[in-house]
Amino acid sequence: MRWPTAYDLATGLVQGVDPDAPAPPPAAESTTPLAALEAAVLPALRRSPCVLSFSGGLDSSLVLAVAARVARREGLPDPVPVTWRFRGAPRADESSWQDEVIGALGLRGTWQVLTADDDLDLVGPVAGRFLHRYGLRHPLNLHLHLPIVELAAGGSLLTGVGGDQVLAGWRLPASASVPAYLRRTAGRVRARLLGSHRQGAEVFPWLRREAANEILRTHRAEQRAEPDRLADRIAWHLRRRDLRITMASFDLVADDHDVAVGHPLLDPTFVAALVGWAGRRKRPPRAELLAGIATGELPAVVIAPRAKAHFLEVFLRAPTREFVRGWDGGGVDTSVVDPGRLRAVWARWPVPECTSGLVQHLWLRQNPPGPSVRPVVGGGTEVPS
């Protein structure tokens, strides 16, 4: 599975499906989603230390709560939640939820908190170390997990990867009332009419016109293609290149540190149980699915609604700003990217999030690994020059 294509690199959008993806597991009604999730975390708990990447968001909170519950029932060591906290990034602050969840689960004794300033910038010190060792990888913020994987060396790592696809999807949940449905439908129509008039060059101003229009067309088509029914939606997302490449990248980094990585929300047994319970529902709200999974067995704070954090200001810091200002104009695929337009876009701060792949690709071209670094090759990645 090749990544990145020229379009992937130029936009940060990983579109399409993997034709080699396995068929989704059949629905299973004999196991509850909670029981299946408990079974999914057990192998990791048996391989100590069992580290969990914990942001305080809904998905990592759910996985952490289930892991703590299973560890105590089985007489195993508690999982080790590891959390990043970011200075100068208020929109990424989830500290209040982190504190509440950790307190409710009684895990203050194992909790580890890491602190970052410019450390996690797209081309900052952690990303630089990551890029030299593993090359350009998807997702482009995967370097955030490198220190967490290093803490798990020889053990296991659990994540909340897959929650946005399995539990949420892209489309708004179905409305319970007719007035709410009409309001939301009108809003979608207005947004579609406004958005449909935007040309590719307006959305991706650093691209050649033909490339920008083609990417925008395929992006809109993919947004419309997401199925309504939960079972179909999950099956569709499990085949998407975005998720498949994400999992392969995690495997590559984890294997390099002798870490068994698990994504319980993508576990086939859990997916089968979730589909068996709710697969026929159309666009079920995330809160409804979480409540059905927890069934009153987990602390309420674990699945309490919360605003989603935004991490752009974590990854766009001084190192990226300095690099784009000094970019020499070379190194891009000029059949897709217009160097002059990219320079103009990068003259404004912050730079567009969709150019993150170009930032890392060009930085790596300008700062290749030294002779003492042994790059790890794998995961089907080919980086175009």
Side-chain angles (χ1 to χ4, degrees):
M1 182 168 44
R2 183 173 181 265
W3 186 87
T5 66
Y7 283 0
D8 293 337
L9 186 63
T11 65
L13 301 175
V14 180
Q15 302 182 94
V17 298
D18 176 9
D20 299 322
E29 299 181 5
S30 58
T31 304
T32 67
L34 180 58
L37 205 52
E38 290 176 337
V41 302
L42 186 55
L45 289 166
R46 287 176 171 156
R47 181 169 169 144
S48 186
C50 176
V51 170
L52 195 143
S53 179
F54 173 62
S55 68
L58 286 167
D59 302 328
S60 63
S61 295
L62 174 63
V63 174
L64 181 60
V66 172
R69 169 186 170 95
V70 173
R72 289 159 186 172
R73 186 179 67 206
E74 299 292 327
L76 296 168
D78 278 342
V80 180
V82 179
T83 300
W84 277 107
R85 287 191 174 169
F86 316 106
R87 295 192 182 102
R91 299 184 71 202
D93 181 22
E94 296 181 281
S95 57
S96 60
W97 286 109
Q98 294 160 0
D99 290 331
E100 285 196 53
V101 172
I102 292 293
L105 299 178
L107 290 172
R108 295 196 184 279
T110 62
W111 189 23
Q112 296 194 38
V113 178
L114 309 178
T115 304
D117 288 299
D118 289 348
D119 309 65
L120 298 178
D121 179 271
L122 286 174
V123 294
V126 176
R129 195 158 57 87
F130 181 96
L131 290 167
H132 283 162
R133 178 74 170 159
Y134 304 105
L136 197 63
R137 297 286 161 182
H138 177 75
L140 298 166
N141 61 5
L142 186 61
H143 60 277
L144 173 147
H145 280 90
L146 179 58
I148 301 176
V149 171
E150 290 170 339
L151 289 172
S156 60
L157 172 68
L158 292 174
T159 82
V161 167
D164 285 340
Q165 292 84 359
V166 171
L167 300 177
W170 294 339
R171 299 191 181 196
L172 293 172
S175 301
S177 68
V178 172
Y181 172 79
L182 292 175
R183 286 195 301 271
R184 293 170 82 162
T185 299
R188 286 198 296 271
V189 170
R190 283 195 301 272
R192 189 172 298 164
L193 287 173
L194 291 172
S196 63
H197 292 297
R198 298 186 73 194
Q199 299 298 309
E202 297 177 78
V203 181
F204 306 109
W206 60 93
L207 301 184
R208 301 290 183 187
R209 185 175 299 278
E210 287 184 5
N213 288 337
E214 173 63 15
I215 291 167
L216 184 59
R217 183 192 65 77
T218 56
H219 176 64
R220 286 171 173 164
E222 189 165 54
Q223 293 285 315
R224 293 191 298 268
E226 185 189 53
D228 283 336
R229 212 169 63 103
L230 181 64
D232 298 331
R233 184 185 82 196
I234 291 174
W236 183 75
H237 275 292
L238 291 178
R239 295 193 302 270
R240 291 192 65 248
R241 291 175 63 241
D242 178 21
L243 195 55
R244 299 273 296 158
I245 296 171
T246 293
M247 295 168 66
S249 297
F250 265 100
D251 287 344
L252 181 75
V253 179
D255 288 348
D256 191 37
H257 293 82
D258 189 27
V259 171
V261 64
H263 313 293
L265 299 179
L266 296 173
D267 179 82
T269 304
F270 170 69
V271 169
L274 184 64
V275 169
W277 165 60
R280 295 182 179 86
R281 303 182 192 185
K282 287 189 175 182
R283 287 181 283 131
R286 191 183 205 134
E288 177 184 306
L289 295 178
L290 288 170
I293 294 168
T295 61
E297 298 291 324
L298 304 177
V301 67
V302 170
I303 61 169
R306 62 203 71 174
K308 200 167 182 66
H310 299 277
F311 295 94
L312 190 59
E313 56 195 359
V314 172
F315 304 112
L316 295 181
R317 311 276 287 214
T320 291
R321 190 169 193 166
E322 180 180 348
F323 174 74
V324 299
R325 281 178 172 175
W327 174 50
D328 62 9
V332 297
D333 183 343
T334 55
S335 68
V336 177
V337 178
D338 183 314
R341 292 175 184 166
L342 180 60
R343 185 185 296 281
V345 166
W346 278 357
R348 300 186 295 273
W349 187 260
V351 301
E353 182 179 7
C354 285
T355 63
S356 296
L358 289 170
V359 171
Q360 291 188 331
H361 168 60
L362 294 170
W363 181 91
L364 190 56
R365 169 182 169 270
Q366 187 171 310
N367 300 274
S372 62
V373 177
R374 181 175 60 87
V376 174
V377 178
T381 299
E382 302 173 26
V383 180
S385 59

